[in-house]
Amino acid sequence: MQGLPGALLHHLKNSLSALLPGSCALCRQAASIADMAVCAACRHAYFERQQERCLQCALPLPANAASPRCGDCLRNPPAFDMTVAVCDYAAPQDQLVLALKFGHELALAPWFALMLRDSILRRPAFELPHYLCAVPLGTQRLAERGFNQALEIARPLSRQLGVPLHTGLLHRSRETARQSSLPIDARARNIRQAFSLDEHELHAVKDLHIGIIDDVMTTGMTMHEIATMLKRYGAAKVSTYVFARTPPHL
């Protein structure tokens, strides 16, 4: 459709929308092509209200909080410097994550990226990273699932932000249990030293700002481990970008 006059392109999109209605991934009602994965009504109901969040870990903050960081980040700051999240990992938004990760609905990934792009650009005085990287899956998990959902989000986000995606920078050094399946006190042990830099890229992050992408941040242990490793090799700043953030009571 590139190169078509604007009016003709708009008419063609409207015509296609009428001929080929889709289904909203949340309410399953008819949605237009322009709506992509989620209809306008569901976007308005579940995504347009902006939640005040901790600058560093993206947990919800109370109204009129005295600091842009939550108490936990002030007392024991993680290795990553900031987090952008689109929504809480809670019903019904969590169904979108489950549909992508376990339902193989890969068409959701570009919509996740679009929502994440908008959330990033809304941040006051935002600073784009030099590179984007996806949280890597282990070989076994990748073979079982057939794709890395973080990478599926990272590819369109890279194009939308105009930031290069470095697909070979991070590696999973060993297989780990799913973080969500473990009690809180076991998650740090599970993920410790589970990531490494490609041996040919050991100096590729020095003095740079690196953005790490995942579908969900639960406790932040995975991102903390990756950021710790990146800063060990000289990264100046690590930002994390996730579609959903698990609330503290979950």
Side-chain angles (χ1 to χ4, degrees):
M1 292 185 184
Q2 288 183 343
L4 292 174
L8 178 58
L9 180 58
H10 179 72
H11 175 73
L12 182 57
K13 283 184 176 180
N14 285 342
S15 299
L16 285 172
S17 176
L19 291 171
L20 302 170
S23 175
C24 172
L26 278 177
C27 69
R28 299 301 175 184
Q29 299 299 308
S32 70
I33 287 177
D35 288 331
M36 295 180 67
V38 176
C39 71
C42 285
R43 285 203 315 274
H44 176 73
Y46 303 118
F47 294 99
E48 290 186 2
R49 184 178 68 86
Q50 297 305 307
Q51 168 74 58
E52 288 296 320
R53 295 182 180 275
C54 171
L55 177 69
Q56 196 157 8
C57 75
L59 282 179
L61 288 175
N64 302 315
S67 169
R69 287 176 169 80
C70 68
D72 285 344
C73 286
L74 290 172
R75 290 187 296 270
N76 187 26
F80 51 85
D81 299 277
M82 65 167 291
T83 300
V84 175
V86 173
C87 61
D88 284 338
Y89 185 68
Q93 298 97 316
D94 57 347
Q95 296 307 306
L96 296 175
V97 175
L98 296 174
L100 170 61
K101 187 181 294 188
F102 301 116
H104 290 68
E105 294 190 22
L106 296 181
L108 286 169
W111 187 81
F112 281 24
L114 187 64
M115 297 294 287
L116 195 46
R117 180 207 66 179
D118 290 348
S119 294
I120 291 169
L121 297 181
R122 276 197 298 266
R123 291 295 289 263
F126 76 93
E127 174 193 347
L128 289 177
H130 295 94
Y131 290 117
L132 294 176
C133 299
V135 173
L137 287 181
T139 303
Q140 179 180 338
R141 190 77 48 77
L142 184 60
E144 292 171 353
R145 189 170 296 161
F147 64 94
N148 178 356
Q149 71 280 356
L151 185 57
E152 295 300 321
I153 299 168
R155 286 192 179 109
L157 183 61
S158 170
R159 294 191 295 270
Q160 293 163 8
L161 290 176
V163 175
L165 175 63
H166 202 321
T167 58
L169 185 67
L170 297 178
H171 295 285
R172 178 86 61 154
S173 305
R174 57 180 176 81
E175 297 290 341
T176 59
R178 287 188 176 90
Q179 288 287 84
S180 58
S181 69
L182 299 173
I184 297 295
D185 58 357
R187 293 179 182 181
R189 294 193 302 273
N190 178 57
I191 210 72
R192 189 170 296 128
Q193 297 182 341
F195 302 97
S196 62
L197 281 184
D198 184 278
E199 62 180 7
H200 302 296
E201 303 284 354
L202 296 182
H203 302 292
V205 302
K206 186 173 176 57
D207 299 325
L208 297 185
H209 175 190
I210 309 298
I212 310 300
I213 299 162
D214 208 355
D215 56 340
V216 180
M217 179 186 286
T218 305
T219 63
M221 293 290 186
T222 296
M223 293 297 199
H224 172 74
E225 187 67 26
I226 292 174
T228 298
M229 184 269 298
L230 288 172
K231 289 188 173 181
R232 190 181 305 131
Y233 287 99
K237 182 177 181 180
V238 177
S239 295
T240 63
Y241 307 124
V242 298
F243 177 72
R245 178 63 160 108
T246 302
H249 62 283
L250 299 180

Short mmCIF file of all heavy atoms in Angstrom, two decimals, residues 202-224:
data_model
loop_
_atom_site.label_atom_id
_atom_site.label_comp_id
_atom_site.label_asym_id
_atom_site.label_seq_id
_atom_site.Cartn_x
_atom_site.Cartn_y
_atom_site.Cartn_z
N LEU A 202 31.77 -8.94 23.83
CA LEU A 202 32.02 -8.60 25.23
C LEU A 202 32.23 -7.10 25.43
O LEU A 202 32.04 -6.59 26.53
CB LEU A 202 33.23 -9.38 25.75
CG LEU A 202 33.06 -10.91 25.79
CD1 LEU A 202 34.31 -11.57 26.36
CD2 LEU A 202 31.83 -11.30 26.61
N HIS A 203 32.66 -6.41 24.40
CA HIS A 203 32.88 -4.96 24.53
C HIS A 203 31.79 -4.15 23.82
O HIS A 203 31.89 -2.93 23.72
CB HIS A 203 34.25 -4.58 23.97
CG HIS A 203 35.39 -5.30 24.64
ND1 HIS A 203 35.75 -5.06 25.95
CD2 HIS A 203 36.22 -6.27 24.18
CE1 HIS A 203 36.77 -5.85 26.27
NE2 HIS A 203 37.07 -6.59 25.23
N ALA A 204 30.74 -4.84 23.35
CA ALA A 204 29.73 -4.16 22.53
C ALA A 204 28.80 -3.26 23.35
O ALA A 204 28.09 -2.44 22.77
CB ALA A 204 28.91 -5.19 21.77
N VAL A 205 28.77 -3.44 24.67
CA VAL A 205 27.83 -2.67 25.48
C VAL A 205 28.50 -1.56 26.29
O VAL A 205 27.81 -0.78 26.95
CB VAL A 205 27.05 -3.59 26.44
CG1 VAL A 205 26.31 -4.67 25.66
CG2 VAL A 205 27.96 -4.22 27.48
N LYS A 206 29.80 -1.47 26.22
CA LYS A 206 30.52 -0.50 27.05
C LYS A 206 30.04 0.92 26.79
O LYS A 206 30.00 1.38 25.65
CB LYS A 206 32.02 -0.61 26.81
CG LYS A 206 32.86 0.27 27.74
CD LYS A 206 34.34 0.00 27.57
CE LYS A 206 35.18 0.94 28.42
NZ LYS A 206 34.84 0.86 29.85
N ASP A 207 29.64 1.59 27.87
CA ASP A 207 29.20 2.99 27.85
C ASP A 207 27.90 3.21 27.08
O ASP A 207 27.55 4.35 26.76
CB ASP A 207 30.29 3.91 27.26
CG ASP A 207 31.58 3.89 28.07
OD1 ASP A 207 31.49 3.76 29.31
OD2 ASP A 207 32.66 3.97 27.47
N LEU A 208 27.16 2.14 26.80
CA LEU A 208 25.92 2.28 26.03
C LEU A 208 24.69 2.07 26.91
O LEU A 208 24.76 1.52 28.01
CB LEU A 208 25.89 1.26 24.88
CG LEU A 208 26.96 1.41 23.81
CD1 LEU A 208 26.73 0.40 22.69
CD2 LEU A 208 27.02 2.82 23.26
N HIS A 209 23.56 2.54 26.38
CA HIS A 209 22.25 2.36 27.00
C HIS A 209 21.57 1.19 26.28
O HIS A 209 21.33 1.24 25.08
CB HIS A 209 21.45 3.65 26.85
CG HIS A 209 20.04 3.58 27.35
ND1 HIS A 209 19.12 4.58 27.11
CD2 HIS A 209 19.38 2.65 28.08
CE1 HIS A 209 17.97 4.26 27.66
NE2 HIS A 209 18.09 3.08 28.25
N ILE A 210 21.25 0.12 27.01
CA ILE A 210 20.67 -1.09 26.43
C ILE A 210 19.23 -1.24 26.91
O ILE A 210 18.94 -1.11 28.10
CB ILE A 210 21.47 -2.34 26.83
CG1 ILE A 210 22.97 -2.15 26.56
CG2 ILE A 210 20.93 -3.57 26.10
CD1 ILE A 210 23.32 -1.92 25.11
N GLY A 211 18.33 -1.51 25.99
CA GLY A 211 16.92 -1.76 26.32
C GLY A 211 16.61 -3.24 26.22
O GLY A 211 16.91 -3.87 25.20
N ILE A 212 16.03 -3.80 27.27
CA ILE A 212 15.71 -5.23 27.33
C ILE A 212 14.19 -5.40 27.28
O ILE A 212 13.46 -4.74 28.02
CB ILE A 212 16.26 -5.89 28.62
CG1 ILE A 212 17.74 -5.52 28.81
CG2 ILE A 212 16.08 -7.39 28.56
CD1 ILE A 212 18.64 -5.98 27.69
N ILE A 213 13.72 -6.31 26.43
CA ILE A 213 12.30 -6.48 26.18
C ILE A 213 11.83 -7.86 26.64
O ILE A 213 12.51 -8.87 26.39
CB ILE A 213 11.99 -6.32 24.68
CG1 ILE A 213 12.38 -4.91 24.22
CG2 ILE A 213 10.52 -6.58 24.38
CD1 ILE A 213 12.52 -4.78 22.74
N ASP A 214 10.67 -7.89 27.30
CA ASP A 214 10.02 -9.15 27.65
C ASP A 214 8.51 -8.93 27.63
O ASP A 214 8.04 -7.79 27.58
CB ASP A 214 10.49 -9.64 29.02
CG ASP A 214 10.41 -11.17 29.14
OD1 ASP A 214 9.91 -11.83 28.21
OD2 ASP A 214 10.87 -11.69 30.17
N ASP A 215 7.77 -10.03 27.69
CA ASP A 215 6.31 -9.89 27.70
C ASP A 215 5.80 -9.48 29.07
O ASP A 215 4.94 -8.61 29.19
CB ASP A 215 5.63 -11.17 27.21
CG ASP A 215 6.03 -12.40 28.02
OD1 ASP A 215 7.09 -12.38 28.68
OD2 ASP A 215 5.29 -13.40 27.97
N VAL A 216 6.35 -10.10 30.14
CA VAL A 216 5.88 -9.84 31.50
C VAL A 216 7.05 -9.69 32.44
O VAL A 216 8.04 -10.42 32.33
CB VAL A 216 4.98 -10.99 32.01
CG1 VAL A 216 4.51 -10.72 33.43
CG2 VAL A 216 3.78 -11.19 31.10
N MET A 217 6.96 -8.75 33.37
CA MET A 217 7.88 -8.69 34.49
C MET A 217 7.11 -9.12 35.73
O MET A 217 6.08 -8.52 36.06
CB MET A 217 8.46 -7.29 34.69
CG MET A 217 9.42 -7.21 35.89
SD MET A 217 9.98 -5.51 36.26
CE MET A 217 11.14 -5.26 34.93
N THR A 218 7.61 -10.16 36.40
CA THR A 218 6.93 -10.67 37.59
C THR A 218 7.53 -10.06 38.85
O THR A 218 6.96 -9.16 39.46
CB THR A 218 6.98 -12.20 37.63
OG1 THR A 218 6.44 -12.71 36.41
CG2 THR A 218 6.16 -12.74 38.80
N THR A 219 8.71 -10.50 39.24
CA THR A 219 9.39 -9.90 40.39
C THR A 219 10.51 -8.96 39.97
O THR A 219 11.02 -8.20 40.79
CB THR A 219 9.99 -10.98 41.30
OG1 THR A 219 10.98 -11.71 40.55
CG2 THR A 219 8.92 -11.94 41.78
N GLY A 220 10.93 -9.05 38.72
CA GLY A 220 12.07 -8.25 38.25
C GLY A 220 13.40 -8.96 38.38
O GLY A 220 14.43 -8.41 37.99
N MET A 221 13.40 -10.19 38.91
CA MET A 221 14.66 -10.91 39.12
C MET A 221 15.40 -11.18 37.80
O MET A 221 16.62 -11.06 37.73
CB MET A 221 14.41 -12.24 39.83
CG MET A 221 13.91 -12.10 41.24
SD MET A 221 15.19 -11.48 42.34
CE MET A 221 14.34 -11.61 43.92
N THR A 222 14.65 -11.55 36.76
CA THR A 222 15.28 -11.84 35.47
C THR A 222 15.95 -10.59 34.91
O THR A 222 17.12 -10.62 34.50
CB THR A 222 14.24 -12.36 34.48
OG1 THR A 222 13.72 -13.61 34.94
CG2 THR A 222 14.86 -12.57 33.09
N MET A 223 15.23 -9.48 34.91
CA MET A 223 15.80 -8.23 34.40
C MET A 223 16.97 -7.76 35.27
O MET A 223 17.96 -7.23 34.75
CB MET A 223 14.72 -7.15 34.34
CG MET A 223 13.62 -7.43 33.33
SD MET A 223 14.25 -7.48 31.64
CE MET A 223 12.72 -7.23 30.72
N HIS A 224 16.86 -7.95 36.57
CA HIS A 224 17.97 -7.57 37.46
C HIS A 224 19.22 -8.37 37.12
O HIS A 224 20.33 -7.82 37.08
CB HIS A 224 17.56 -7.81 38.92
CG HIS A 224 18.68 -7.64 39.90
ND1 HIS A 224 19.18 -6.40 40.25
CD2 HIS A 224 19.43 -8.56 40.57
CE1 HIS A 224 20.17 -6.56 41.12
NE2 HIS A 224 20.34 -7.85 41.32
#
